[in-house]
């Protein structure tokens, strides 16, 4: 069926095809409200369910929401119909970095250095939040309109896993070139160290224009990966060679950490060819990029950043958020939309509940506490679509940080949105640290 020209849930107008991945097509689309361009990955729900990935997909997508970095493709939202899952992402206008490498044969060491720094910065951010890519390869490295790196598929690593376990999809060959020896050995591995290995392979390809491990068949390639049998071309600087031999160490415990990579001379200083003038331009660009990020409109997101570093101190928080986001994609039919809103709070549970009680009283709503730290709030009259009701659940992330999730359970969506905006949100402001994105959830039969 033709996708181009179609409107997705009256929100996005689908335009040209950007590319095809293992799980489906990616289209350019326009947000009808903001006119902003987005990329939409369309996945076949049956295919995801067939490889029993729905739980992982839910968790990974939710985790992806926590990962916000200037060099990572931002996930805007996820939608689902009876047979498709739509992942709405930031559009990377510059296309694939790999195409750039192919066009010029290889990158200069200075360019490879710049992209490697951006890649390590993105990776560092994700690893600090317990998120590992596990499928880093040039095809997942996109560029924005300024030519800066945007790593895609972060958090969607579940798919690459499926490629390995699903006997039907043998596209793994392309990916194999980048996977770490310990992943091939299947002896259990440290996600951070195997991502670092893949970064080393990516760095090699960028500066060499070809793969470090090649062979006539997969067995031979695996053998070379296993023994880290590769040779740097003679145009690599001595410092780059030294760093690569360290990163591509087959023993993960001997491989440098991100911090050690950041401290290496090549990483800090780059190749010698970068002239003082170029360095100045690069650092000025970096300053403007950073300055542009601290505009007033971004202030709220910066507060989120602070909160996220707190969340990251406890890995269980990812689990909590993943489970609480209620991103149930496994249903078959959409009946109507329900709204889910989340906020974080640095106040104790009792203070949050007290504020909810005050708000309910002021708005003449019924309130009752059910189990699992859930507070149910209900209207007193029939609305346009039955009695309005929403549940509020409080999760402890750390003793001083709570995630509060409000989920509409019945009634009319517009009436609920009005109540939320005009009645509830202003009354909760004293206990809210930061509001998070609102999601429209499809109610399933
Ligand atoms: P994937 O399924 O993620 O491998 O995507 C398939 C192809 O679609 C990629 O190789 C890119 O060319 C393109 N693509 C994916 N995500 C984006 C994006 N956010 N912006 C622009 N192009 C994208």
């Amino acid at each position: 069926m033709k996708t181009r020209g179609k409107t997705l849930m009256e929100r996005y107008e689908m335009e040209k095809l950007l590319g095809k991945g293992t799980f489906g097509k990616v289209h350019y689309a326009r947000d009808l409200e903001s006119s902003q361009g987005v990329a939409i990955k369309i996945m076949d729900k049956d295919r995801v369910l067939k490889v029993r990935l729905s739980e992982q997909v839910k968790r990974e997508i939710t985790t992806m929401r926590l990962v916000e970095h200037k060099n990572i493709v931002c996930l805007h939202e996820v939608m689902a119909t009876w047979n498709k899952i739509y992942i709405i992402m930031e559009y990377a206008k510059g296309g694939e970095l790999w195409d750039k490498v192919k066009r010029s044969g290889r990158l200069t060491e200075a360019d490879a250095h710049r992209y490697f720094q951006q890649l390590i910065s993105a990776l560092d951010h994700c690893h600090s939040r317990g998120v590992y890519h596990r499928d880093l390869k040039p095809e997942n490295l996109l560029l924005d309109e300024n030519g800066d790196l945007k790593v895609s598929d972060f958090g969607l690593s579940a798919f690459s896993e499926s490629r390995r376990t699903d006997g039907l999809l043998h596209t793994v060959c392309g990916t194999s070139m980048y996977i770490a020896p310990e992943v091939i050995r299947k002896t259990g591995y440290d996600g951070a160290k195997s991502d670092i290995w893949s970064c080393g392979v990516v760095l090699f390809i960028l500066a060499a224009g070809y793969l470090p491990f090649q062979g006539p068949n997969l067995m031979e390639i695996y053998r070379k990966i296993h023994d880290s049998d590769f040779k740097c071309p003679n145009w690599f600087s001595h410092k780059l060679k030294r760093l690569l031999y360290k990163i591509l160490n087959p023993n993960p415990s001997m491989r440098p950490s991100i911090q050690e990579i950041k401290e290496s001379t090549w990483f800090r200083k780059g190749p010698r060819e970068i002239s003082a003038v170029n360095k100045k331009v690069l650092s000025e660009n970096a300053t403007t990029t950073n300055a542009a990020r601290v505009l007033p409109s971004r202030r709220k997101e910066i507060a989120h950043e602070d909160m996220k570093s707190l969340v990251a101190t406890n890995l269980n928080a990812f689990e909590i958020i993943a489970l609480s986001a209620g991103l149930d994609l496994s249903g078959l039919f959409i009946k109507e939309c329900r709204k889910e809103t989340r906020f974080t709070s640095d106040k104790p549970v009792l203070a949050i509940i007290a504020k909810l009680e005050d708000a309910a009283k002021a708005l003449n709503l019924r309130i009752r506490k059910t189990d699992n730290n859930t507070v149910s709030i209900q209207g007193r009259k029939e609305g346009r679509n039955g009695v309005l009701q929403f549940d509020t659940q409080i999760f402890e992330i750390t003793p001083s940080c709570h995630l509060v999730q409000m989920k509409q359970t019945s009634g009319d969506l517009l009436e609920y949105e009005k109540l939320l905006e005009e009645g509830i949100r202003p009354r909760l402001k004293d206990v809210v640290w930061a509001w998070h994105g609102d999601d429209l959830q499809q109610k399933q039969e």
Side-chain angles (χ1 to χ4, degrees):
M1 217 195 317
K2 211 168 137 264
T3 309
R4 198 176 173 152
K6 278 212 160 72
T7 306
L8 175 63
M9 298 193 190
E10 297 175 9
R11 293 277 310 281
Y12 300 99
E13 190 172 83
M14 308 295 276
E15 294 187 16
K16 68 178 180 202
L17 180 72
L18 292 172
K20 278 185 194 167
T22 316
F23 273 82
K25 294 177 182 172
V26 180
H27 273 264
Y28 174 79
R30 208 166 41 82
D31 183 332
L32 291 172
E33 206 178 292
S34 66
S35 289
Q36 214 191 348
V38 293
I40 303 189
K41 184 177 279 192
I42 309 168
M43 292 186 293
D44 196 342
K45 212 188 241 181
D46 271 357
R47 218 161 162 188
V48 172
L49 292 177
K50 213 179 273 170
V51 287
R52 292 190 198 89
L53 268 172
S54 50
E55 278 307 312
Q56 252 173 303
V57 173
K58 276 189 272 176
R59 182 164 324 153
E60 296 283 354
I61 289 172
T62 322
T63 308
M64 210 169 150
R65 287 176 175 164
L66 289 172
V67 174
E68 253 187 82
H69 186 275
K70 61 179 189 297
N71 298 118
I72 296 175
V73 169
C74 168
L75 174 79
H76 293 321
E77 61 181 321
V78 180
M79 291 175 164
T81 59
W82 68 280
N83 62 350
K84 294 263 188 279
I85 297 168
Y86 298 88
I87 299 187
I88 293 107
M89 306 171 279
E90 176 184 6
Y91 169 52
K93 203 175 178 179
E96 290 181 25
L97 173 60
W98 186 223
D99 285 336
K100 189 173 166 160
V101 178
K102 279 189 282 189
R103 268 196 307 274
S104 47
R106 66 173 193 251
L107 300 185
T108 63
E109 203 169 308
D111 275 347
H113 174 254
R114 176 171 158 248
Y115 290 126
F116 185 69
Q117 278 193 326
Q118 295 181 348
L119 177 61
I120 290 292
S121 167
L123 214 59
D124 193 18
H125 174 87
C126 292
H127 288 183
S128 71
R129 282 152 179 77
V131 179
Y132 306 100
H133 196 293
R134 289 180 286 170
D135 195 20
L136 277 174
K137 50 186 172 176
E139 294 89 319
N140 280 338
L141 305 180
L142 306 176
L143 299 173
D144 68 9
E145 64 272 30
N146 305 315
D148 284 324
L149 192 73
K150 291 276 176 185
V151 184
S152 79
D153 273 2
F154 234 118
L156 288 177
S157 46
F159 297 124
S160 61
E161 282 298 296
S162 80
R163 282 176 223 170
R164 284 192 276 277
T165 50
D166 170 17
L168 299 171
L169 300 164
H170 291 288
T171 49
V172 66
C173 297
T175 310
S176 316
M177 317 295 182
Y178 313 91
I179 59 175
E182 65 273 20
V183 181
I184 297 173
R185 286 195 291 269
K186 291 191 174 151
T187 46
Y189 60 94
D190 169 352
K193 287 293 176 78
S194 60
D195 271 356
I196 288 171
W197 170 281
S198 307
C199 278
V201 179
V202 166
L203 173 59
F204 184 100
I205 297 167
L206 297 183
Y210 58 85
L211 290 156
F213 307 107
Q214 296 186 49
N217 54 52
L218 207 56
M219 277 310 289
E220 181 59 10
I221 296 169
Y222 276 2
R223 188 202 58 76
K224 287 191 171 169
I225 293 175
H226 183 269
D227 300 339
S228 189
D229 178 2
F230 76 103
K231 201 167 166 287
C232 287
N234 56 13
W235 59 84
F236 278 16
S237 68
H238 175 66
K239 288 194 172 76
L240 172 58
K241 283 182 190 169
R242 215 168 56 189
L243 179 63
L244 274 168
Y245 285 121
K246 278 187 189 161
I247 296 179
L248 295 177
N249 188 321
N251 180 351
S253 61
M254 304 287 281
R255 217 171 284 154
S257 64
I258 287 197
Q259 194 47 40
E260 283 161 342
I261 292 176
K262 282 165 114 180
E263 284 161 12
S264 72
T265 321
W266 189 83
F267 187 91
R268 282 185 294 112
K269 298 196 173 157
R272 241 177 277 142
E273 314 93 79
I274 305 185
S275 66
V277 178
N278 275 347
K279 270 189 192 163
K280 189 164 174 282
V281 172
L282 276 177
S283 72
E284 274 169 5
N285 281 346
T287 331
T288 14
T289 323
N290 290 339
R293 303 204 119 234
V294 195
L295 288 171
S297 60
R298 299 255 324 150
R299 240 178 296 163
K300 210 170 158 192
E301 286 168 48
I302 288 160
H304 288 198
E305 281 290 318
D306 290 342
M307 196 285 298
K308 276 187 267 168
S309 53
L310 221 171
V311 170
T313 58
N314 183 344
L315 227 162
N316 282 338
F318 284 108
E319 298 291 315
I320 293 166
I321 293 167
L323 294 169
S324 68
L327 193 76
D328 193 352
L329 302 168
S330 58
L332 290 172
F333 292 96
I334 299 162
K335 211 177 167 197
E336 57 188 290
C337 285
R338 294 274 182 247
K339 188 158 182 155
E340 209 173 276
T341 307
R342 288 179 293 279
F343 68 83
T344 38
S345 175
D346 55 355
K347 300 285 183 289
V349 175
L350 288 180
I352 300 168
I353 292 178
K355 270 285 165 215
L356 282 167
E357 280 171 346
D358 289 350
K361 201 167 159 198
L363 296 163
N364 193 25
L365 301 167
R366 274 198 191 96
I367 181 163
R368 77 192 154 86
K369 191 173 174 304
T370 55
D371 50 5
N372 294 336
N373 267 352
T374 303
V375 174
S376 186
I377 297 181
Q378 204 181 43
R380 288 185 192 274
K381 306 186 291 239
E382 280 275 320
R384 207 167 30 166
N385 217 344
V387 176
L388 201 63
Q389 184 175 323
F390 65 95
D391 285 351
T392 304
Q393 229 176 335
I394 305 170
F395 300 92
E396 185 185 87
I397 293 173
T398 67
S400 57
C401 177
H402 292 96
L403 176 80
V404 184
Q405 178 180 275
M406 302 166 97
K407 196 152 68 174
Q408 182 199 4
T409 49
S410 66
D412 182 73
L413 176 66
L414 289 180
E415 284 174 12
Y416 175 64
E417 280 184 331
K418 192 164 183 286
L419 173 75
L420 196 66
E421 286 312 312
E422 296 170 12
I424 306 287
R425 282 196 193 228
R427 287 180 171 84
L428 293 184
K429 69 176 190 318
D430 292 345
V431 292
V432 173
W433 188 356
W435 285 99
H436 292 248
D438 293 332
D439 298 318
L440 279 183
Q441 299 287 314
Q442 283 105 19
K443 185 173 177 272
Q444 285 130 13
E445 292 213 300

